[in-house]
Amino acid sequence: MTTPHLQQASSYQLAFTCLTPKFGVTLSGTRQLVDFDDGEIDALIQLAAERGVLVMRDQHMSAQQQADFAHRLGTPLLSPANKGKLPDELLLIQANERSKHAAGTGWHSDVSSAIKPPGLSMLRMEVVPESGGDTLFADMRQVFAALSPTLQAFLQTLHARHDPRGHYLYLSGAKRLDELPSAQHPVVRSHPLTGDRALYVNDGFVGKIVELDRAESKALLSLLYDKVAYSVSCQCRVQWQPNTVVFWDNRIVQHHAAFDYWPATRRGYRVTIEGEEPVLV
Ligand code: SIN
């Protein structure tokens, strides 16, 4: 049996084991997120910036505690359509025997059509199917680094228009498309904490690459999306258990929820934290 490889996150003591050598970790121990002090929160944010995906098992918290925790991470996006049934900070992620599809299928980065698209997302799962319902994650830094230097250089000159067709408020029927903003972002962005460069186009939101004509844009995006989907060595996969919490940093990560468990029920709650205007430096 392999001994878990333990490391420490940056300046603070967060021990973890690696999901893959460069991408994704599981935090060790049974410490509860709701008991984290400010130093641990900072270390968690830094570790997400460095490793992309953080998995924590056996996390017990109520919906209101998750909403309160969201404010410790930054400014949460709101879901006014919850109408008091859930705190506005929470987005219900649910599929069951009545579902024809599930949220989050298809590779995407959360709400990239926002002017300041999300940094961290935090998904807490309460009900999981007996098997299936995994979430796949792809490291957009490694995907970018795997491209030829010539294509990397070209991509760094481009911008993409992100439209809200994948926005949770549009998909839930709470808003019309014309009530939600579109935004133009660089095709390659730098992470504000690490400086790492990552590919920042995703099939869930991007309409077109601004500097190219429609056919060129379609061909280039298709090449890049294939690279995301097929680069299995740039990916990790999380199998959920009840009370698993996963954080991912949308600046450098895309994800894809597998909907392979119908008619079983899968239910969780996401909080999504506003980021900053993406830049390439
Ligand atoms: C999402 O946030 O896109 C949903 C992810 C999931 O259900 O695993």
Side-chain angles (χ1 to χ4, degrees), residues 93 103-104 108 110 123 125 135 240 248 255 257 266 270:
I93 304 283
H108 67 286
D110 289 331
L123 180 57
M125 209 52 85
T135 307
W240 297 90
W248 61 89
H255 59 286
R266 179 179 185 267
R270 192 181 90 196

PDB file of all heavy atoms in Angstrom, residues 93 103-104 108 110 123 125 135 240 248 255 257 266 270, ligand 1:
ATOM      1  N   ILE A  93     -28.069  22.141  -6.473  1.00  0.00           N
ATOM      2  CA  ILE A  93     -27.660  21.271  -7.582  1.00  0.00           C
ATOM      3  C   ILE A  93     -28.361  19.943  -7.351  1.00  0.00           C
ATOM      4  O   ILE A  93     -28.026  19.207  -6.416  1.00  0.00           O
ATOM      5  CB  ILE A  93     -26.116  21.048  -7.562  1.00  0.00           C
ATOM      6  CG1 ILE A  93     -25.346  22.366  -7.609  1.00  0.00           C
ATOM      7  CG2 ILE A  93     -25.682  20.089  -8.649  1.00  0.00           C
ATOM      8  CD1 ILE A  93     -25.273  23.031  -8.950  1.00  0.00           C
ATOM      9  N   ALA A 103     -27.537  19.724 -13.905  1.00  0.00           N
ATOM     10  CA  ALA A 103     -26.716  20.941 -14.006  1.00  0.00           C
ATOM     11  C   ALA A 103     -25.254  20.559 -14.149  1.00  0.00           C
ATOM     12  O   ALA A 103     -24.800  19.559 -13.580  1.00  0.00           O
ATOM     13  CB  ALA A 103     -26.891  21.785 -12.752  1.00  0.00           C
ATOM     14  N   GLY A 104     -24.525  21.343 -14.914  1.00  0.00           N
ATOM     15  CA  GLY A 104     -23.064  21.211 -14.924  1.00  0.00           C
ATOM     16  C   GLY A 104     -22.526  20.117 -15.820  1.00  0.00           C
ATOM     17  O   GLY A 104     -21.342  19.786 -15.736  1.00  0.00           O
ATOM     18  N   HIS A 108     -17.071  23.287 -18.495  1.00  0.00           N
ATOM     19  CA  HIS A 108     -17.299  24.736 -18.345  1.00  0.00           C
ATOM     20  C   HIS A 108     -16.569  25.262 -17.120  1.00  0.00           C
ATOM     21  O   HIS A 108     -16.122  24.508 -16.252  1.00  0.00           O
ATOM     22  CB  HIS A 108     -18.793  25.039 -18.218  1.00  0.00           C
ATOM     23  CG  HIS A 108     -19.399  24.513 -16.947  1.00  0.00           C
ATOM     24  ND1 HIS A 108     -19.648  23.172 -16.731  1.00  0.00           N
ATOM     25  CD2 HIS A 108     -19.778  25.141 -15.806  1.00  0.00           C
ATOM     26  CE1 HIS A 108     -20.155  22.996 -15.527  1.00  0.00           C
ATOM     27  NE2 HIS A 108     -20.236  24.182 -14.931  1.00  0.00           N
ATOM     28  N   ASP A 110     -17.500  28.181 -14.151  1.00  0.00           N
ATOM     29  CA  ASP A 110     -18.766  28.764 -13.690  1.00  0.00           C
ATOM     30  C   ASP A 110     -18.899  30.240 -14.077  1.00  0.00           C
ATOM     31  O   ASP A 110     -17.978  31.041 -13.875  1.00  0.00           O
ATOM     32  CB  ASP A 110     -18.885  28.623 -12.162  1.00  0.00           C
ATOM     33  CG  ASP A 110     -19.131  27.174 -11.749  1.00  0.00           C
ATOM     34  OD1 ASP A 110     -19.730  26.427 -12.542  1.00  0.00           O
ATOM     35  OD2 ASP A 110     -18.718  26.799 -10.637  1.00  0.00           O
ATOM     36  N   LEU A 123     -18.777  23.242  -3.586  1.00  0.00           N
ATOM     37  CA  LEU A 123     -19.969  22.386  -3.709  1.00  0.00           C
ATOM     38  C   LEU A 123     -19.974  21.391  -2.561  1.00  0.00           C
ATOM     39  O   LEU A 123     -18.984  20.685  -2.336  1.00  0.00           O
ATOM     40  CB  LEU A 123     -19.958  21.668  -5.070  1.00  0.00           C
ATOM     41  CG  LEU A 123     -21.116  20.728  -5.376  1.00  0.00           C
ATOM     42  CD1 LEU A 123     -22.473  21.434  -5.272  1.00  0.00           C
ATOM     43  CD2 LEU A 123     -20.964  20.142  -6.795  1.00  0.00           C
ATOM     44  N   MET A 125     -22.050  18.184  -1.023  1.00  0.00           N
ATOM     45  CA  MET A 125     -23.024  17.194  -1.475  1.00  0.00           C
ATOM     46  C   MET A 125     -23.679  16.537  -0.261  1.00  0.00           C
ATOM     47  O   MET A 125     -22.986  16.122   0.680  1.00  0.00           O
ATOM     48  CB  MET A 125     -22.271  16.145  -2.311  1.00  0.00           C
ATOM     49  CG  MET A 125     -23.078  15.482  -3.367  1.00  0.00           C
ATOM     50  SD  MET A 125     -23.947  16.586  -4.474  1.00  0.00           S
ATOM     51  CE  MET A 125     -22.697  16.937  -5.680  1.00  0.00           C
ATOM     52  N   THR A 135     -17.646  14.176 -10.482  1.00  0.00           N
ATOM     53  CA  THR A 135     -17.327  15.416 -11.201  1.00  0.00           C
ATOM     54  C   THR A 135     -15.901  15.316 -11.709  1.00  0.00           C
ATOM     55  O   THR A 135     -14.997  14.916 -10.964  1.00  0.00           O
ATOM     56  CB  THR A 135     -17.495  16.646 -10.303  1.00  0.00           C
ATOM     57  OG1 THR A 135     -18.802  16.611  -9.721  1.00  0.00           O
ATOM     58  CG2 THR A 135     -17.351  17.936 -11.099  1.00  0.00           C
ATOM     59  N   TRP A 240     -18.016  11.453  -5.140  1.00  0.00           N
ATOM     60  CA  TRP A 240     -18.643  12.106  -3.991  1.00  0.00           C
ATOM     61  C   TRP A 240     -19.097  11.091  -2.956  1.00  0.00           C
ATOM     62  O   TRP A 240     -19.482   9.967  -3.302  1.00  0.00           O
ATOM     63  CB  TRP A 240     -19.852  12.915  -4.450  1.00  0.00           C
ATOM     64  CG  TRP A 240     -19.515  14.033  -5.379  1.00  0.00           C
ATOM     65  CD1 TRP A 240     -19.445  13.982  -6.748  1.00  0.00           C
ATOM     66  CD2 TRP A 240     -19.180  15.377  -5.024  1.00  0.00           C
ATOM     67  NE1 TRP A 240     -19.096  15.214  -7.252  1.00  0.00           N
ATOM     68  CE2 TRP A 240     -18.933  16.092  -6.217  1.00  0.00           C
ATOM     69  CE3 TRP A 240     -19.078  16.052  -3.808  1.00  0.00           C
ATOM     70  CZ2 TRP A 240     -18.591  17.435  -6.232  1.00  0.00           C
ATOM     71  CZ3 TRP A 240     -18.735  17.400  -3.810  1.00  0.00           C
ATOM     72  CH2 TRP A 240     -18.497  18.081  -5.013  1.00  0.00           C
ATOM     73  N   TRP A 248     -13.196  24.473  -6.107  1.00  0.00           N
ATOM     74  CA  TRP A 248     -12.364  24.582  -7.305  1.00  0.00           C
ATOM     75  C   TRP A 248     -12.198  26.054  -7.649  1.00  0.00           C
ATOM     76  O   TRP A 248     -13.057  26.884  -7.372  1.00  0.00           O
ATOM     77  CB  TRP A 248     -12.917  23.785  -8.483  1.00  0.00           C
ATOM     78  CG  TRP A 248     -14.276  24.163  -8.976  1.00  0.00           C
ATOM     79  CD1 TRP A 248     -14.582  25.093  -9.926  1.00  0.00           C
ATOM     80  CD2 TRP A 248     -15.528  23.582  -8.560  1.00  0.00           C
ATOM     81  NE1 TRP A 248     -15.947  25.129 -10.132  1.00  0.00           N
ATOM     82  CE2 TRP A 248     -16.554  24.210  -9.307  1.00  0.00           C
ATOM     83  CE3 TRP A 248     -15.890  22.589  -7.645  1.00  0.00           C
ATOM     84  CZ2 TRP A 248     -17.892  23.880  -9.163  1.00  0.00           C
ATOM     85  CZ3 TRP A 248     -17.232  22.268  -7.493  1.00  0.00           C
ATOM     86  CH2 TRP A 248     -18.211  22.913  -8.242  1.00  0.00           C
ATOM     87  N   HIS A 255     -14.853  22.166 -15.224  1.00  0.00           N
ATOM     88  CA  HIS A 255     -15.390  20.936 -14.652  1.00  0.00           C
ATOM     89  C   HIS A 255     -16.564  20.438 -15.478  1.00  0.00           C
ATOM     90  O   HIS A 255     -17.134  21.167 -16.293  1.00  0.00           O
ATOM     91  CB  HIS A 255     -15.758  21.123 -13.182  1.00  0.00           C
ATOM     92  CG  HIS A 255     -16.779  22.189 -12.931  1.00  0.00           C
ATOM     93  ND1 HIS A 255     -16.497  23.534 -13.008  1.00  0.00           N
ATOM     94  CD2 HIS A 255     -18.095  22.109 -12.609  1.00  0.00           C
ATOM     95  CE1 HIS A 255     -17.582  24.233 -12.735  1.00  0.00           C
ATOM     96  NE2 HIS A 255     -18.563  23.396 -12.506  1.00  0.00           N
ATOM     97  N   ALA A 257     -19.870  17.623 -14.806  1.00  0.00           N
ATOM     98  CA  ALA A 257     -20.570  16.682 -13.926  1.00  0.00           C
ATOM     99  C   ALA A 257     -21.107  15.521 -14.763  1.00  0.00           C
ATOM    100  O   ALA A 257     -21.754  15.739 -15.784  1.00  0.00           O
ATOM    101  CB  ALA A 257     -21.719  17.399 -13.216  1.00  0.00           C
ATOM    102  N   ARG A 266     -29.248  12.843  -6.698  1.00  0.00           N
ATOM    103  CA  ARG A 266     -27.982  13.482  -6.285  1.00  0.00           C
ATOM    104  C   ARG A 266     -28.343  14.910  -5.913  1.00  0.00           C
ATOM    105  O   ARG A 266     -28.956  15.636  -6.709  1.00  0.00           O
ATOM    106  CB  ARG A 266     -27.018  13.451  -7.470  1.00  0.00           C
ATOM    107  CG  ARG A 266     -25.637  14.100  -7.231  1.00  0.00           C
ATOM    108  CD  ARG A 266     -24.870  13.933  -8.526  1.00  0.00           C
ATOM    109  NE  ARG A 266     -23.503  14.373  -8.503  1.00  0.00           N
ATOM    110  CZ  ARG A 266     -23.095  15.587  -8.869  1.00  0.00           C
ATOM    111  NH1 ARG A 266     -23.991  16.508  -9.228  1.00  0.00           N
ATOM    112  NH2 ARG A 266     -21.812  15.884  -8.886  1.00  0.00           N
ATOM    113  N   ARG A 270     -24.182  24.611  -3.978  1.00  0.00           N
ATOM    114  CA  ARG A 270     -22.957  25.299  -4.407  1.00  0.00           C
ATOM    115  C   ARG A 270     -22.985  26.735  -3.936  1.00  0.00           C
ATOM    116  O   ARG A 270     -24.038  27.388  -4.015  1.00  0.00           O
ATOM    117  CB  ARG A 270     -22.858  25.256  -5.940  1.00  0.00           C
ATOM    118  CG  ARG A 270     -21.490  25.690  -6.466  1.00  0.00           C
ATOM    119  CD  ARG A 270     -21.442  25.655  -7.984  1.00  0.00           C
ATOM    120  NE  ARG A 270     -21.859  26.929  -8.553  1.00  0.00           N
ATOM    121  CZ  ARG A 270     -22.201  27.115  -9.822  1.00  0.00           C
ATOM    122  NH1 ARG A 270     -22.179  26.099 -10.683  1.00  0.00           N
ATOM    123  NH2 ARG A 270     -22.570  28.303 -10.269  1.00  0.00           N
TER     124      ARG A 270
HETATM  125  C1  SIN B   1     -21.631  22.695 -11.377  1.00  0.00           C
HETATM  126  O1  SIN B   1     -21.309  23.480 -10.507  1.00  0.00           O
HETATM  127  O2  SIN B   1     -21.468  22.973 -12.553  1.00  0.00           O
HETATM  128  C2  SIN B   1     -22.179  21.351 -10.976  1.00  0.00           C
HETATM  129  C3  SIN B   1     -21.084  20.426 -10.639  1.00  0.00           C
HETATM  130  C4  SIN B   1     -21.578  19.102 -10.176  1.00  0.00           C
HETATM  131  O3  SIN B   1     -22.788  18.910 -10.031  1.00  0.00           O
HETATM  132  O4  SIN B   1     -20.759  18.228  -9.932  1.00  0.00           O
END
